[in-house]
Amino acid sequence: VSSHRSYSPTAFEKSCSETGIIQIWSVKIDEHQKLENNPELVLGLAHTCGKIWCLEWCPSGLWEEQVTLGGLAAACSDGTVRIFKVKFPKKGRHVVRPKKMKVLLTGDTNQGICLSLSWFKGSGHRFLAGAFTSGLVAIWDVSTESALLVNKSGTLPIQSWMAHSSTASGVSFSTPDSDVPKYCVTGGTDRYYRFWDLRDTSSPINEIKRGMVTSVSWLPSLPSASVSHDDVYLQAHTQSLMTDNGLNRSNSQPTVGQNSCVWDQSISGLLGGLAVCTAAGELVIHMLPDASKNVDLNKLRNKRRAYIYLIRKGSDSVGGMGTYEEAKANMKLEFCELWNDEGVGRREIKIDQSVQYSEKMSSENLVDYPLCSLNRVDWNPNFGAFSLLASGGQSGILRIHSLTQLITRKI
């Protein structure tokens, strides 16, 4: 987990360095993936890399019992990507400053802040992609020892190109079928999301202009990706989409409709579930349909999605709330749990049913400080804990849900 140190506004205009800490938390579960107790902070990685905009674990290969937890890549606001080898936590030592780390650079020209990372899941996990505020997308071979790419300052990319005319907000590698990546999907604030053949990035193989793209994720084992937007021109019709890469066809189908900006999404390949979090404080899951079928053949799309919880402004909140100080003094947050051991909770039936219709979902109040906003969501990638879903928001509160009801053949 990494968070900003203050509630002051952040701009993407230039890269910057500052002190910070990456938090490693331990979550204990039983054999049925049920939470046994509250999370415990076991390790902190102190750094001077600035704000951390994205964290990505190495998919496999670096874990050693009681020695190493794994490799962790961090997208930093100083314009670099750092890879930490996270040691196994030791008793009595909770905060450390890593002495060695791999630094990934873009070259002599400052390309701004790195906002998104994607670690290749193919054999060896050698390749890492990053998206920058300049519109650049870079791919590094993290295991290279070439004298042309490695210098005293760090490692240069093996491939880079200007994927967007403005900020590149997301990047995701395709499902691997070889030792090197062949395709990727990117999205940007220029309102385009593009599919690329990495063997020739002179032009995309498919591009679609829709809304300001906030997140992209390639769907496991499919020639398709999930794309989320912030589209002010489609109020009550902003949708997260499943869209094809354009090699064989260029269809797209809606998955989750929203009435506010979607800040982040996460896909679980083991559960087949898509989780999205919105600026209105909603955490929604959607069980993905068969992407090989047309939209009209995937029935009951509305019943595939459900609320996990949502955050609302308390009814007794009064006064001005335009700044964080005012919101802190005058606003009270209500966490509405809509998921329990039996599945979707029925204590808030009207709220729960509204997820089926985007126009009935919560909308963001653009006048108030966005203290209700949910900004990040992520599924646990480990096989023994894949039902855990973590989400964090503008309030600084991180929540973990165990969605064991999704481990069933009925969905």
Side-chain angles (χ1 to χ4, degrees):
V1 180
S2 183
S3 63
H4 293 190
R5 298 178 59 190
S6 69
Y7 290 91
S8 58
T10 301
F12 293 154
E13 296 178 357
K14 59 181 179 179
S15 58
C16 60
S17 299
E18 63 180 50
T19 57
I21 188 170
I22 299 173
Q23 306 167 32
I24 308 294
W25 293 76
S26 173
V27 181
K28 293 184 179 180
I29 58 175
D30 60 19
E31 59 182 358
H32 302 294
Q33 299 190 30
K34 296 281 188 177
L35 298 173
E36 291 187 336
N37 52 21
N38 292 327
E40 178 186 0
L41 179 64
V42 295
L43 183 63
L45 303 177
H47 62 84
T48 58
C49 309
K51 296 179 175 65
I52 304 298
W53 288 99
C54 183
L55 292 171
E56 184 86 358
W57 284 102
C58 179
S60 65
L62 293 179
W63 186 86
E64 297 181 50
E65 180 70 32
Q66 299 297 324
V67 179
T68 307
L69 284 175
L72 181 63
C76 308
S77 64
D78 64 355
T80 66
V81 175
R82 312 289 177 111
I83 300 179
F84 303 91
K85 191 174 183 179
V86 183
K87 299 294 184 180
F88 213 88
K90 296 181 180 179
K91 292 183 178 180
R93 191 180 184 188
H94 295 292
V95 179
V96 298
R97 184 169 182 176
K99 297 180 180 179
K100 294 182 179 180
M101 68 185 79
K102 182 178 286 291
V103 181
L104 306 181
L105 308 172
T106 57
D108 296 333
T109 305
N110 186 356
Q111 299 294 340
I113 300 171
C114 184
L115 296 181
S116 177
L117 295 172
S118 179
W119 207 313
F120 182 59
K121 294 180 174 59
S123 177
H125 312 307
R126 293 169 46 199
F127 302 97
L128 182 69
F132 290 80
T133 54
S134 64
L136 182 87
V137 171
I139 298 177
W140 296 271
D141 182 350
V142 297
S143 63
T144 185
E145 296 181 355
S146 171
L148 298 175
L149 298 175
V150 181
N151 54 40
K152 294 181 180 180
S153 300
T155 302
L156 296 173
I158 60 171
Q159 186 177 9
S160 63
W161 72 100
M162 297 302 294
H164 296 273
S165 59
S166 61
T167 298
S169 55
V171 60
S172 181
F173 280 127
S174 64
T175 303
D177 59 0
S178 64
D179 294 341
V180 295
K182 293 182 179 179
Y183 305 99
C184 76
V185 59
T186 65
T189 58
D190 57 0
R191 301 178 61 194
Y192 280 98
Y193 58 93
R194 295 183 169 109
F195 291 88
W196 302 89
D197 186 338
L198 297 178
R199 293 162 291 189
D200 181 10
T201 57
S202 58
S203 62
I205 56 177
N206 191 17
E207 67 175 7
I208 299 94
K209 186 175 183 180
R210 188 175 175 87
M212 188 180 76
V213 179
T214 56
S215 181
V216 294
S217 300
W218 199 284
L219 297 178
S221 303
L222 292 172
S224 309
S226 176
V227 184
S228 293
H229 306 86
D230 177 14
D231 197 338
V232 297
Y233 302 105
L234 288 174
Q235 185 72 6
H237 296 283
T238 302
Q239 297 170 329
S240 296
L241 302 173
M242 290 174 55
T243 183
D244 298 316
N245 61 9
L247 287 175
N248 299 318
R249 59 178 188 173
S250 299
N251 296 332
S252 64
Q253 54 180 298
T255 52
V256 184
Q258 298 89 23
N259 204 11
S260 61
C261 167
V262 177
W263 281 123
D264 196 20
Q265 64 176 10
S266 180
I267 293 178
S268 171
L270 295 170
L271 284 175
L274 167 68
V276 300
C277 60
T278 71
E282 302 162 314
L283 179 61
V284 182
I285 61 168
H286 178 85
M287 303 312 294
L288 295 172
D290 187 350
S292 63
K293 296 181 180 179
N294 294 328
V295 177
D296 55 349
L297 296 179
N298 283 312
K299 304 298 184 181
L300 303 176
R301 294 195 305 275
N302 290 344
K303 294 185 178 181
R304 289 180 176 270
R305 52 183 178 258
Y307 275 123
I308 303 301
Y309 73 95
L310 60 86
I311 306 175
R312 297 189 301 184
K313 182 173 66 174
S315 58
D316 54 349
S317 301
V318 294
M321 287 173 279
T323 64
Y324 168 71
E325 289 73 18
E326 293 176 341
K328 180 180 178 182
N330 302 322
M331 184 186 295
K332 292 184 179 180
L333 299 181
E334 293 182 356
F335 290 83
C336 302
E337 288 291 343
L338 300 169
W339 189 276
N340 56 32
D341 292 339
E342 284 74 37
V344 178
R346 297 303 173 186
R347 295 172 298 172
E348 306 273 359
I349 296 180
K350 291 184 179 179
I351 298 176
D352 176 50
Q353 292 179 343
S354 66
V355 75
Q356 299 181 14
Y357 308 98
S358 58
E359 64 271 10
K360 294 184 179 181
M361 296 179 70
S362 301
S363 59
E364 180 186 6
N365 189 334
L366 300 178
V367 178
D368 293 343
Y369 183 85
L371 202 60
C372 296
S373 175
L374 282 175
N375 301 335
R376 290 291 183 268
V377 62
D378 201 13
W379 291 98
N380 191 303
N382 298 312
F383 185 76
F386 57 84
S387 67
L388 299 185
L389 181 64
S391 58
Q394 187 77 13
S395 62
I397 298 175
L398 177 71
R399 310 189 79 205
I400 299 176
H401 288 77
S402 178
L403 308 183
T404 55
Q405 296 81 16
L406 298 178
I407 309 175
T408 174
R409 295 181 180 273
K410 295 181 180 180
I411 298 181

